[in-house]
Amino acid sequence: MLAVNTKNLSYQYPDGTQALNNLALGIQEGDKVGIIGPNGSGKSTFLTLLNGIRKGTGFLEIFGIELTKQTVHEIKKLVGIIFQNPDDQLFCPTIFEDVSFGPLNQGLDSSKVHSRVSQSLKDVGLEGFEKRSSFHLSFGERKLASIATVVAMQPRLIAMDEPTSNLDLAHRRKIIKWIQNNQNTIILTSHDLDMILETCSRVIIFNRGEVVADGEVRKILNQQTLLENNDLELPISLQRVRNEMRVKS
């Protein structure tokens, strides 16, 4: 099944700026897909269209359900978005209340909510943080807690906006490992191309609201000219490989 299916999908900001222009994409259920490109290319905007935060024009289908005014509530249950800034998702006095907010709004009883919170925090490595306040956590811990708020709602598709930005190496590694181990369909945007290389099987390059390249992750990320033409650079790990090959030759 296609987790995401779009045709002629476009979005224009109120000031007239064209953020996305006639996107046609199909993303299979279970895939991990990285969306890369320069700032302002429409990456984050695309994520917000997936569960109706923003409403574009054209056709958008999530797990076979077309996004309409009548289905948006159902689709919000299927798609969880993890924003770049964790403080956009953490607003309660305790981490337990933050993570339980979604399941409670889904109408789950208290025993199921407690179970969801415990399991979600365990999944992201924050077991025992229920009584902590997000105000007293490090940025990396807040990032993990924001992931838990979405995991607790058990969406089938998880959209992540710059999941490793501004993280220290330890928390970056934790989030990479979590993405690798997660069985959901995951679509993520990032400038961290080494993370994309480690976690995704497919990568799509956006530029000026359009798809300019789409393919197997290692094949796309090895094309230096293609990346540079879209204000990107080879992943550091691939730069090292090329440098080592030059030294040996």
Side-chain angles (χ1 to χ4, degrees):
M1 175 181 286
L2 287 177
V4 177
N5 183 24
T6 79
K7 297 174 185 176
N8 300 317
L9 183 64
S10 299
Y11 182 81
Q12 187 177 77
Y13 286 108
D15 66 1
T17 301
Q18 192 71 31
L20 295 171
N21 187 30
N22 293 323
L23 292 186
L25 286 174
I27 294 174
Q28 294 287 337
E29 183 171 13
D31 279 358
K32 292 184 174 73
V33 179
I35 299 177
I36 63 176
N39 289 331
S41 60
K43 305 184 301 295
S44 298
T45 300
F46 176 70
L47 296 189
T48 60
L49 295 180
L50 295 177
N51 77 343
I53 292 177
R54 289 190 173 104
K55 179 67 171 72
T57 60
F59 178 82
L60 172 58
E61 191 177 67
I62 304 293
F63 296 106
I65 302 170
E66 184 178 355
L67 178 60
T68 65
K69 289 181 179 180
Q70 291 72 36
T71 63
V72 65
H73 183 70
E74 183 178 0
I75 284 176
K76 284 182 182 295
K77 295 178 182 178
L78 297 173
V79 182
I81 296 183
I82 300 167
F83 297 103
Q84 181 174 353
N85 185 351
D87 295 334
D88 290 338
Q89 292 175 259
L90 304 173
F91 46 82
C92 296
T94 67
I95 293 300
F96 177 87
E97 290 169 283
D98 277 316
V99 180
S100 66
F101 184 85
L104 285 170
N105 278 277
Q106 290 177 330
L108 299 183
D109 61 44
S110 60
S111 63
K112 288 185 178 179
V113 169
H114 278 77
S115 176
R116 290 268 191 102
V117 172
S118 297
Q119 187 60 52
S120 299
L121 290 175
K122 183 178 180 180
D123 287 347
V124 300
L126 294 182
E127 195 171 7
F129 275 58
E130 286 87 345
K131 295 182 180 180
R132 301 276 297 274
S133 167
S134 64
F135 299 109
H136 300 147
L137 302 185
S138 69
F139 183 82
E141 288 169 336
R142 296 203 305 278
K143 199 91 168 182
L144 290 167
S146 71
I147 293 174
T149 65
V150 171
V151 172
M153 293 186 286
Q154 297 186 352
R156 290 172 65 183
L157 188 159
I158 297 176
M160 309 179 78
D161 194 10
E162 297 284 353
T164 57
S165 65
N166 301 314
L167 290 182
D168 58 47
L169 292 176
H171 285 99
R172 176 181 178 274
R173 177 51 49 189
K174 285 182 179 180
I175 289 180
I176 287 174
K177 188 173 181 180
W178 179 85
I179 295 170
Q180 290 172 330
N181 292 336
N182 192 277
Q183 299 303 307
N184 290 81
T185 306
I186 295 180
I187 303 172
L188 57 89
T189 72
S190 185
H191 288 89
D192 183 351
L193 299 193
D194 285 277
M195 181 272 292
I196 296 281
L197 194 62
E198 284 195 67
T199 59
C200 298
S201 58
R202 174 183 172 192
V203 67
I204 304 170
I205 299 179
F206 278 18
N207 201 340
R208 297 182 180 179
E210 298 182 353
V211 172
V212 297
D214 181 354
E216 192 272 326
V217 63
R218 190 164 289 272
K219 182 177 179 181
I220 295 290
L221 295 186
N222 258 307
Q223 297 184 49
Q224 185 169 356
T225 300
L226 171 65
L227 296 177
E228 289 177 351
N229 286 343
N230 291 280
D231 298 330
L232 301 165
E233 292 185 342
L234 283 175
I236 293 172
S237 57
L238 296 183
Q239 291 181 35
R240 288 173 180 159
V241 170
R242 292 192 178 197
N243 290 336
E244 289 171 2
M245 291 175 65
R246 290 193 189 99
V247 170
K248 289 180 181 179
S249 62

